[in-house]
C-alpha cells in the first residue's frame, strides 16, 4: 500500500528531473548569489583565475564605479592591460568591503585596487539596507569565503547534481519588482547606462524615481563613525597585503551635491573624511570633482561620454600608482 505511492512519487521526480535537464537551455542560469550581476562577476572572476589570466588592477565600488570603470577604455588610453571591474551595483559599503577583501582579492591577487565611492557611502543609512542582510545571509557568499556550514555544502551538492533543485526558483512566478541585471563586458564593465542622456531616456517617471532614490539615500546625511571604520579597515587590510590602494571620489553632478541636506558643505565634509581615511590607511585619495551633466545618465551614473572621460582621468593615476 505504501510502496505504490512512493514509487509514483519517485517516478514523477525522475521525470521532472529529466525534463529539466532537457529544457534548462531555455531558462536563464539561476543566480545563487544575492544579485544576478554578482553571480556573473563571481563566475568571471573564477574563470579568470582558473585560466591564469593576469590581473594587475581591480576596480571596486558600487554602481558608480560599475558603470564608469571600463578596462578596455583604460587600456586604450595607456593604463595597461590586466584590469578587471569587480564593482557591483546596488551594494553598499559593508558588502563592498567584504566582497573585495574576502572574495575578489584572494582570487585575482591584484597589485593595485581602485576603490570608487561617493559621499552616500559615508551616510549611516547604507549600513541597514536589505542588500547588506541578503549578502550576509547568502550560502554562496559563505561558500566563497570558506565559511560554509554543513547545510551550505549540502545545498551546493544538490545544485550541482539536481537540475530540478538548481532551477526551482525559475519555475515559480515572480511577483516582485524586476531585478537589476545589466549586460557586462568580459572585464566586468556594466554597460547599462552607456547610451543614456541625462534624465531623458525613460521619460519623466524614470527621472523622478532616480532623483527621489538619490535624495532618499542622502537623507539626514552625516559622516558615520561606523562607515569610517569599515572603509578604513578595508583600505588598511589591502595596504597590509602589499597592494597599492587608490581611493577615488567618483565624479559628481551639481545636482547630486545640492541633494545633500546642507548642500556643498555636506559634500566637502565627505571629501575631507575620504582624504583623512586614505591618509590613515596608507592609500592615495583623489577627488574627481563635479562634471557636466552631459556626461551623466542621471545625477550619479556616468553615461558612455562620461566613461570615456573617466578612463582618461583614471589612466594617469594608475600609471603613477
Amino acid at each position: 500500500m505504501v510502496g505504490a505511492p512512493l514509487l509514483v512519487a519517485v517516478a514523477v521526480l525522475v521525470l521532472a528531473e529529466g525534463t529539466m535537464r532537457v529544457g534548462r537551455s531555455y531558462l536563464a542560469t539561476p543566480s545563487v548569489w544575492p544579485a544576478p550581476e554578482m553571480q556573473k562577476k563571481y563566475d568571471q572572476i573564477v574563470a579568470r583565475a582558473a585560466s591564469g589570466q593576469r590581473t594587475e588592477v581591480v576596480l571596486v565600488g558600487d554602481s558608480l564605479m560599475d558603470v564608469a570603470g571600463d578596462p578596455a577604455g583604460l587600456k586604450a588610453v595607456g593604463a595597461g592591460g590586466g584590469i578587471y571591474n569587480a564593482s557591483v551595483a546596488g551594494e553598499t559599503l559593508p558588502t563592498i568591503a567584504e566582497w573585495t577583501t574576502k572574495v575578489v582579492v584572494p582570487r585575482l591577487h591584484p597589485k593595485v585596487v581602485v576603490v570608487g565611492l561617493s559621499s552616500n557611502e559615508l551616510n549611516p543609512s547604507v549600513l541597514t539596507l536589505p542588500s547588506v542582510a541578503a549578502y550576509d545571509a547568502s550560502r554562496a557568499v559563505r561558500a566563497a569565503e570558506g565559511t560554509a556550514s554543513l547545510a551550505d555544502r549540502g545545498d551546493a551538492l544538490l545544485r550541482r547534481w539536481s537540475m530540478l533543485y538548481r532551477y526551482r526558483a525559475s519555475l515559480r512566478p515572480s511577483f516582485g519588482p524586476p531585478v537589476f541585471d545589466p549586460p557586462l563586458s568580459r572585464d566586468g564593465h556594466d554597460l547599462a547606462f552607456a547610451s543614456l542622456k541625462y534624465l531623458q531616456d525613460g521619460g519623466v517617471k524614470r527621472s523622478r524615481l532616480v532623483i527621489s532614490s538619490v535624495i532618499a539615500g542622502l537623507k539626514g546625511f552625516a559622516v558615520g563613525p561606523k562607515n569610517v571604520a569599515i572603509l578604513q579597515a578595508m583600505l588598511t587590510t589591502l595596504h597590509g597585503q602589499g597592494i597599492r590602494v587608490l581611493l577615488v571620489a567618483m565624479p559628481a553632478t551639481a545636482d547630486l551635491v545640492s541633494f545633500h541636506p546642507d548642500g556643498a558643505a555636506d559634500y566637502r565634509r565627505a571629501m575631507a573624511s575620504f582624504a583623512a581615511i586614505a591618509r590613515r590607511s596608507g592609500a592615495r585619495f583623489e577627488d574627481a570633482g563635479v562634471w557636466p551633466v552631459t556626461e551623466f545618465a542621471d545625477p550619479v551614473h556616468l553615461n558612455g561620454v562620461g566613461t570615456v572621460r573617466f578612463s582618461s582621468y583614471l589612466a594617469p593615476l594608475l600609471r603613477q600608482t
Side-chain angles (χ1 to χ4, degrees), residues 6-301:
L6 180 60
L7 286 174
V8 171
V10 171
V12 170
L13 283 174
V14 170
L15 179 62
E17 179 69 27
T19 302
M20 280 305 308
R21 288 179 180 272
V22 172
R24 61 177 173 157
S25 59
Y26 298 97
L27 296 172
T29 303
S31 173
V32 296
W33 284 77
E37 186 190 12
M38 190 170 280
Q39 176 75 64
K40 288 180 183 178
K41 293 210 173 183
Y42 179 73
D43 291 343
Q44 286 183 338
I45 289 167
V46 170
R48 192 180 181 98
S51 69
Q53 186 175 356
R54 176 178 61 92
T55 303
E56 299 282 347
V57 179
V58 165
L59 313 176
V60 297
D62 56 15
S63 60
L64 280 68
M65 179 61 90
D66 198 32
V67 303
D70 178 11
L74 285 163
K75 183 178 181 180
V77 292
I83 302 174
Y84 183 78
N85 187 339
S87 309
V88 184
E91 305 300 334
T92 56
L93 185 58
T95 299
I96 293 166
E98 190 172 338
W99 161 257
T100 300
T101 57
K102 296 184 179 180
V103 178
V104 178
V105 168
R107 286 168 173 79
L108 296 182
H109 306 289
K111 295 181 179 179
V112 178
V113 170
V114 182
V115 183
L117 301 174
S118 189
S119 55
N120 68 297
E121 296 298 346
L122 294 176
N123 200 14
S125 63
V126 305
L127 304 179
T128 58
L129 292 177
S131 59
V132 177
Y135 188 86
D136 291 340
S138 170
R139 283 177 166 165
V141 170
R142 290 194 292 268
E145 294 180 355
T147 59
S149 66
L150 183 61
D152 296 332
R153 290 194 290 270
D155 174 74
L157 187 65
L158 279 171
R159 280 189 283 104
R160 185 181 308 156
W161 292 106
S162 172
M163 296 302 103
L164 186 62
Y165 184 82
R166 183 188 299 182
Y167 285 85
R168 66 194 186 280
S170 303
L171 301 175
R172 296 193 298 264
S174 176
F175 300 102
V179 178
F180 185 62
D181 186 9
L184 301 177
S185 74
R186 60 182 296 180
D187 297 315
H189 180 214
D190 177 351
L191 306 172
F193 295 81
S195 63
L196 303 183
K197 295 180 181 178
Y198 192 70
L199 295 179
Q200 294 180 18
D201 301 271
V204 176
K205 183 178 180 181
R206 176 187 174 275
S207 301
R208 288 175 176 170
L209 284 172
V210 169
I211 291 173
S212 62
S213 66
V214 173
I215 292 174
L218 293 170
K219 185 177 181 180
F221 180 82
V223 174
K226 188 172 181 180
N227 302 61
V228 170
I230 291 171
L231 180 55
Q232 186 166 315
M234 172 189 174
L235 303 186
T236 301
T237 297
L238 295 173
H239 180 71
Q241 295 173 4
I243 297 170
R244 294 186 290 279
V245 184
L246 173 61
L247 174 62
V248 177
M250 299 299 290
T253 58
D255 285 341
L256 173 62
V257 174
S258 71
F259 292 156
H260 293 72
D262 282 337
D266 277 343
Y267 192 77
R268 287 193 298 270
R269 195 174 300 116
M271 296 304 106
S273 182
F274 278 145
I277 292 168
R279 203 164 44 244
R280 293 192 296 265
S281 309
R284 175 179 176 177
F285 173 65
E286 294 290 338
D287 178 8
V290 176
W291 291 10
V293 296
T294 52
E295 297 173 343
F296 286 81
D298 56 46
V300 292
H301 298 110

